[in-house]
C-alpha cells in the first residue's frame, strides 16, 4: 500500500547521487522552493500587508501552521504509537501540507476569492483550496505539465474538499450584477471544492481507493453556504487542525500586539472560558487574560504557548464509526470536545474583532473591485494585455472555459501589491512608467 501512495504522476529519473531524502522530504523541498510559496510573503493573512512590519502574512501563518502540524504528529506518535506506525504517519509530510495549504489563495484574502469566483461563475467557479490543488498538480513550473509532481499521498492530504464546485453551485450563483460595485460578498462565497478541469489529476490521486471509498469520500451534506463535503484524509485532518490553531491563537496574538484587540474586548471571551467549568480553560482564564494583555512581551508569548500546547495535546486519532476500506480515510485527527469548543470561541473572537471590522472589510472590498476590473480588462483583449508567457497559455487553451481559467490562474497568483500596481497601470493616469512586466 505504501508504495502506491508514494508514486508520482510523472516518473522522474533522478541523476542525483547520494540523495538520501525520502519522497516526503523531496515534496517539502519542492513546496519551499516554489514561486507560489514565496508569494505568500506578500499576501494578506488578516491585516493588509504593509500596515505594520510586524504582523503575520500568509507566509508566516503557513510556517506557524507547519510548526503546529509537526507538534500534532509528534504528539500522536507518542500517544498512539502503534496506530501512528500502522498509518505511516510522517511529520515531514504533515509539515509539507501545512506549508502548502494556502498557496492557492488569491490576493486580498476572501475579497479576492469572491471576486474571482464571481468572474468565473460561468466557467467552473473559483475557490482557494481548489487553486492550491491546481498549482501543485499542474501550474507550478517544476515539471512541464504536472506542477510540483508531488507524491499521491501528499496531494490527497491537500484535498480539503473532495468534490467538484460545479456539482455544488447554487443556480442563483450564476446571475450577474449590473455593476461590480453592487456585488455583495455574502452572496458569492464559493462552494469549497475542486475545478472540473482538474478531474483527471483527482482521479489519479484517488486511483488506489476502492469504488465504495471513492463515492463515500465525495458525499455532500448541507452547510452554511450551500453543500459541503463530509470527509477528508487522515493527513488533511491534521493539517486542518494546525491551520485552525494557528488562525485562532496566533492571529489573536497579532491583533493584541497591534492594539486592535484590547483587554476590555476580551472580557466576554474570559467569561465564556470560565463558563467551561472544571476545564483547563476555565481554570486558566484569568491568568491567560492577564498575560495576553501584559506590557511584557514574554508574558504574552507564555500564554500563547500554553494555549497552543493545550490544544495540540488534546488531539487524538479516531476512526469513523463506519470504517472506510482504506485506513487513510477511516482515521482522522480529532480534538477533544472541550478543547474544540475553546478553539471555536477563539476563532469566533478573531472573526468578530479582527476580520469583521469595517477597516478590514473595506480592504477586502477594495481588493475585490481591483480583481474584478483586472479580470474584465484582461478578458477584453488577452493577447494585447497579458504577459507574453501567459498570453501563450491563453492561446493554447482550448475553449472559453479553459481560456477564462488561464486569466483566473494569472490573477490568483498575484500578490496584493502587484495587483494594486497593475490596476494603477491600467486605470490611473500617470502611473505607467514604473512597471516592467
Amino acid at each position: 500500500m505504501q508504495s502506491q501512495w508514494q508514486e508520482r504522476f510523472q516518473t522522474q529519473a533522478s541523476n542525483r547521487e547520494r540523495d538520501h531524502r525520502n519522497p516526503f522530504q523531496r515534496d517539502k523541498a519542492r513546496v519551499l522552493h516554489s514561486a507560489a510559496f514565496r508569494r505568500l510573503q506578500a499576501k494578506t493573512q488578516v491585516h493588509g500587508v504593509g500596515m505594520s512590519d510586524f504582523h503575520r502574512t500568509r507566509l508566516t501563518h503557513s510556517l506557524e501552521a507547519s510548526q503546529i502540524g509537526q507538534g500534532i504528529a509528534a504528539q500522536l506518535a507518542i500517544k498512539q504509537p502503534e496506530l501512528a506506525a500502522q498509518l505511516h504517519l510522517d511529520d515531514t509530510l504533515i509539515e509539507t501540507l501545512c506549508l502548502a495549504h494556502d498557496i492557492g489563495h488569491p490576493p486580498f484574502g476572501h475579497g479576492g476569492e469572491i471576486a474571482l469566483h464571481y468572474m468565473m461563475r460561468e466557467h467552473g467557479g473559483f475557490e482557494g483550496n481548489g487553486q492550491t490543488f491546481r498549482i501543485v498538480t499542474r501550474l507550478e513550473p517544476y515539471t512541464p505539465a504536472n506542477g510540483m509532481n508531488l507524491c499521491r499521498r501528499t496531494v490527497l492530504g491537500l484535498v480539503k474538499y473532495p468534490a467538484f464546485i460545479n456539482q455544488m453551485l447554487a443556480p442563483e450563483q450564476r446571475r450577474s450584477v449590473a455593476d461590480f460595485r453592487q456585488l455583495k460578498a455574502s452572496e458569492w462565497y464559493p462552494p469549497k471544492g475542486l475545478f472540473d478541469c482538474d478531474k483527471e489529476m483527482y482521479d489519479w490521486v484517488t486511483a488506489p481507493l476502492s469504488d465504495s471509498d471513492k463515492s463515500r469520500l465525495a458525499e455532500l451534506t448541507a452547510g452554511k453556504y450551500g453543500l459541503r463535503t463530509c470527509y477528508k484524509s487522515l493527513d488533511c485532518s491534521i493539517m486542518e487542525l494546525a491551520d485552525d490553531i494557528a488562525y485562532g491563537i496566533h492571529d489573536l496574538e497579532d491583533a493584541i500586539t497591534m492594539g486592535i484587540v484590547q483587554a476590555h474586548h476580551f472580557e466576554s471571551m474570559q467569561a465564556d472560558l470560565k463558563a467551561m467549568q472544571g476545564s483547563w480553560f476555565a481554570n486558566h482564564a484569568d491568568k491567560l487574560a492577564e498575560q495576553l494583555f501584559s506590557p511584557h512581551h514574554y508574558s504574552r508569548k507564555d500564554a500563547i504557548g500554553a494555549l497552543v500546547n493545550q490544544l495540540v495535546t488534546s488531539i487524538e486519532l479516531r476512526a469513523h464509526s463506519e470504517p472506510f476500506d482504506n485506513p487513510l480515510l477511516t482515521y482522522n485527527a480529532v480534538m477533544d470536545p472541550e478543547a474544540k469548543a475553546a478553539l471555536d470561541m477563539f476563532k469566533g473572537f478573531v472573526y468578530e474583532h479582527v476580520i469583521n471590522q469595517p477597516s478590514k472589510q473595506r480592504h477586502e472590498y477594495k481588493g475585490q473591485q481591483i480583481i474584478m476590473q483586472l479580470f474584465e480588462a484582461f478578458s477584453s483583449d488577452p493577447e494585447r494585455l497579458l504577459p507574453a508567457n501567459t498570453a501563450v497559455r491563453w492561446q493554447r487553451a482550448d475553449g472559453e472555459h479553459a481560456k477564462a481559467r488561464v486569466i483566473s490562474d494569472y490573477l490568483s497568483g498575484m500578490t496584493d501589491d502587484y495587483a494594486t500596481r497593475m490596476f494603477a497601470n491600467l486605470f490611473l493616469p500617470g502611473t505607467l512608467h514604473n512597471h516592467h512586466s
Side-chain angles (χ1 to χ4, degrees):
M1 147 175 155
Q2 196 50 359
S3 67
Q4 260 187 320
W5 288 106
Q6 292 189 353
E7 280 170 2
R8 302 181 188 281
F9 186 78
Q10 188 185 327
T11 322
Q12 285 169 308
S14 173
N15 52 3
R16 297 176 197 178
E17 287 178 42
R18 299 193 284 280
D19 186 345
H20 56 273
R21 298 173 301 166
N22 73 29
F24 299 133
Q25 289 168 326
R26 288 187 191 163
D27 282 356
K28 179 185 162 187
R30 291 177 188 193
V31 169
L32 268 177
H33 295 298
S34 67
F37 181 71
R38 284 197 302 278
R39 282 191 203 108
L40 293 174
Q41 67 189 313
K43 288 194 180 187
T44 312
Q45 170 59 11
V46 166
H47 314 285
V49 173
M51 282 164 67
S52 127
D53 57 1
F54 179 76
H55 65 270
R56 297 175 158 81
T57 61
R58 287 227 184 238
L59 181 72
T60 53
H61 162 75
S62 301
L63 293 170
E64 279 164 342
S66 90
Q67 190 60 30
I68 294 169
Q70 257 181 303
I72 296 172
Q75 274 291 328
L76 294 172
I78 293 167
K79 211 185 262 185
Q80 296 163 287
E82 281 140 24
L83 188 54
Q86 181 197 326
L87 293 165
H88 300 284
L89 187 60
D90 186 290
D91 55 354
T92 309
L93 166 62
I94 301 302
E95 217 186 326
T96 305
L97 298 178
C98 294
L99 290 172
H101 80 278
D102 263 354
I103 59 177
H105 280 277
F108 310 112
H110 287 295
E113 190 176 39
I114 283 159
L116 281 172
H117 178 54
Y118 175 73
M119 298 310 282
M120 289 295 288
R121 64 193 180 282
E122 304 286 334
H123 309 292
F126 179 88
E127 196 269 327
N129 300 285
Q131 190 69 14
T132 295
F133 182 83
R134 202 167 155 68
I135 289 169
V136 299
T137 59
R138 196 170 294 234
L139 298 178
E140 185 65 35
Y142 194 92
T143 59
N146 304 115
M148 297 185 199
N149 196 30
L150 303 175
C151 297
R152 192 183 250 125
R153 179 161 173 175
T154 307
V155 182
L156 181 69
L158 286 169
V159 180
K160 279 167 86 165
Y161 309 103
F164 292 90
I165 288 182
N166 261 348
Q167 310 167 311
M168 301 186 266
L169 262 182
E172 62 272 14
Q173 275 211 350
R174 301 185 192 257
R175 290 196 312 258
S176 55
V177 289
D179 176 355
F180 289 158
R181 291 180 182 181
Q182 306 286 312
L183 188 75
K184 257 185 113 152
S186 58
E187 291 169 10
W188 283 91
Y189 281 115
K192 296 192 173 292
L194 304 168
F195 309 142
D196 281 8
C197 53
D198 296 321
K199 188 171 183 325
E200 180 201 357
M201 286 311 298
Y202 181 70
D203 289 345
W204 170 77
V205 172
T206 53
L209 301 175
S210 66
D211 288 344
S212 66
D213 274 7
K214 282 182 204 171
S215 59
R216 189 171 157 203
L217 185 58
E219 275 174 22
L220 299 172
T221 182
K224 192 172 166 191
Y225 302 110
L227 296 170
R228 63 179 180 81
T229 56
C230 311
Y231 300 107
K232 53 183 66 75
S233 72
L234 160 75
D235 305 309
C236 186
S237 68
I238 299 176
M239 173 262 278
E240 216 167 17
L241 287 170
D243 184 22
D244 282 352
I245 294 171
Y247 165 78
I249 309 300
H250 286 303
D251 289 356
L252 169 68
E253 181 190 358
D254 251 16
I256 293 171
T257 307
M258 292 171 74
I260 295 170
V261 168
Q262 281 149 11
H264 65 272
H265 295 132
F266 199 73
E267 285 161 8
S268 62
M269 178 80 194
Q270 206 173 330
D272 289 343
L273 291 172
K274 280 179 159 169
M276 299 172 68
Q277 283 165 358
S279 72
W280 181 92
F281 299 95
N283 300 340
H284 290 77
D286 290 340
K287 189 182 179 198
L288 282 171
E290 185 189 323
Q291 285 186 300
L292 284 172
F293 296 94
S294 153
H296 304 299
H297 197 66
Y298 56 82
S299 283
R300 187 179 313 136
K301 281 287 175 211
D302 189 43
I304 293 291
L307 271 172
V308 170
N309 178 63
Q310 191 57 32
L311 295 168
V312 166
T313 51
S314 76
I315 294 169
E316 61 174 19
L317 295 170
R318 220 174 286 161
H320 287 296
S321 48
E322 268 180 70
F324 281 80
D325 298 330
N326 194 305
L328 286 183
L329 300 180
T330 295
Y331 289 94
N332 272 179
V334 183
M335 199 175 267
D336 79 46
E338 204 166 73
K340 185 178 183 323
L343 179 57
D344 286 344
M345 278 180 214
F346 277 104
K347 283 166 62 184
F349 183 83
V350 169
Y351 182 79
E352 182 188 345
H353 291 279
V354 184
I355 310 262
N356 224 7
Q357 288 306 305
S359 61
K360 165 76 178 132
Q361 289 302 319
R362 287 183 206 125
H363 177 77
E364 284 202 1
Y365 176 83
K366 182 180 176 181
Q368 185 183 309
Q369 298 302 316
I370 288 175
I371 294 293
M372 290 191 288
Q373 291 182 64
L374 286 177
F375 196 105
E376 191 176 42
F378 289 127
S379 309
S380 71
D381 199 344
E383 289 163 286
R384 176 179 170 208
L385 298 174
L386 286 172
N389 57 347
T390 311
V392 170
R393 272 190 62 215
W394 185 86
Q395 286 156 348
R396 288 186 187 149
D398 186 17
E400 63 169 327
H401 295 333
K403 285 186 176 330
R405 184 64 64 192
V406 170
I407 295 173
S408 161
D409 289 341
Y410 175 55
L411 286 170
S412 73
M414 291 182 174
T415 61
D416 297 22
D417 191 44
Y418 187 88
T420 305
R421 286 202 315 269
M422 179 64 81
F423 178 85
N425 269 313
L426 284 171
F427 298 111
L428 304 180
T431 41
L432 260 178
H433 52 272
N434 61 1
H435 208 80
H436 300 297
S437 70

